[in-house]
Structure formats: C-alpha cells, structure tokens
Amino acid sequence: MTQTILVLTEEALTPADLRNLETLQGEEPAEVVVLIPEDREQSVLGEFFHHLSLLEVGEAFRSFSGDDRREDEDAAHTALRESLDLLARERFAARGRTTTGNPVDALVQEAGDSGATQAVVITRPHAVADTFHTDWANKAQDQLGIAVLHLYSGSGFIGDS
C-alpha cells in the first residue's frame, strides 16, 4: 500500500525540501500531496514583529499595507506548478492544489480524505508564531492524529512543533 505524505507549504518546494521528503518516504513508495494557500492569513502584527526581529524596519512597516489578493492567488498557483514539476522530475508520485481559507483546516480535511500517514509543514521561520507555538505545524499537530513535522524551507532545520 502506498503511503501518503501531506505537505503544507508557503512557497514552492526546493531541492533541499525534496531531500527531506525522500528521507521521510524511505524505501516504501509514497504519494506526496502538496497544499499551498492562496491567502496565508498571516497575522499582520506577527509579520510586523517578525520583520523587526530581523531588523527589517522598512519591511515591517510595509507589512501593514494591504496585499493584492490576485497576486497572492497567482503566486500560489505558480508555486504549486513549480513544486509539482520539481517532484515529477525527481520521480515522486505527486498531486496538489491551492487552498483558500484556513490552511490548517485544508490540511486536516486532506488528511481525512487521503488517509495520510504523515504531514509536513514547510515554512520560512516566523519568529513570533514559532516562539508562541501558533504556527501552522503546532495548530495541525493539535488537530491531527498523525505526526506533523515542521521544516524550514530550503533547509534541513526542524521547527519546534
């Protein structure tokens, strides 16, 4: 039986992310299901403090400006296409979709629909959300009955979930 690995990510997968997925897959074949939110529903205040913690003062104040919804949708569709192309080149069985609304709810629904055995949340570090355990991985871990691994995009670093 083929296992299913769910991947919730903010942006397109990278070759480093695929190396991590290969490790999770092991010897058994796996289908990878990629979910990319069209609207990450980020806390504006959380993003503000995240940028300040990195001394990105200008970016912190720009985080208060409204995002263009169409740009978010286009970016999500592009990231999904790039991720699926990369997975196909590396011979992963993969499918995916963009999501609207709460990304964690989409992950929970997909876990129920697919019978997934593992979930991986791949994000950039978010200082405030990670510190206070309000990130997607921690929220998903609270709602799912399966293991949730939090990885930082493009690295092998594991978040605290």
Side-chain angles (χ1 to χ4, degrees), residues 21-116:
L21 292 175
E22 286 173 341
T23 301
L24 287 176
Q25 177 177 264
E27 297 298 317
E28 294 296 316
E31 177 186 40
V32 177
V33 178
V34 180
L35 303 174
I36 300 180
E38 291 178 9
D39 177 11
R40 294 179 299 171
E41 294 185 359
Q42 288 185 5
S43 161
V44 174
L45 194 56
E47 280 299 295
F48 176 77
F49 286 119
H50 168 73
H51 290 297
L52 280 183
S53 73
L54 298 174
L55 301 176
E56 298 171 341
V57 177
E59 192 63 35
F61 285 99
R62 279 190 290 281
S63 70
F64 281 114
S65 67
D67 287 337
D68 179 21
R69 174 86 175 121
R70 190 69 180 141
E71 282 183 24
D72 289 347
E73 290 175 11
D74 290 345
H77 287 281
T78 299
L80 178 61
R81 186 174 56 255
E82 290 173 1
S83 296
L84 294 177
D85 288 349
L86 181 62
L87 286 161
R89 281 195 306 274
E90 296 298 321
R91 294 184 174 79
F92 278 86
R95 63 183 172 87
R97 64 183 171 90
T98 61
T99 66
T100 57
N102 185 326
V104 174
D105 289 346
L107 183 70
V108 169
Q109 179 183 354
E110 187 65 43
D113 293 346
S114 66

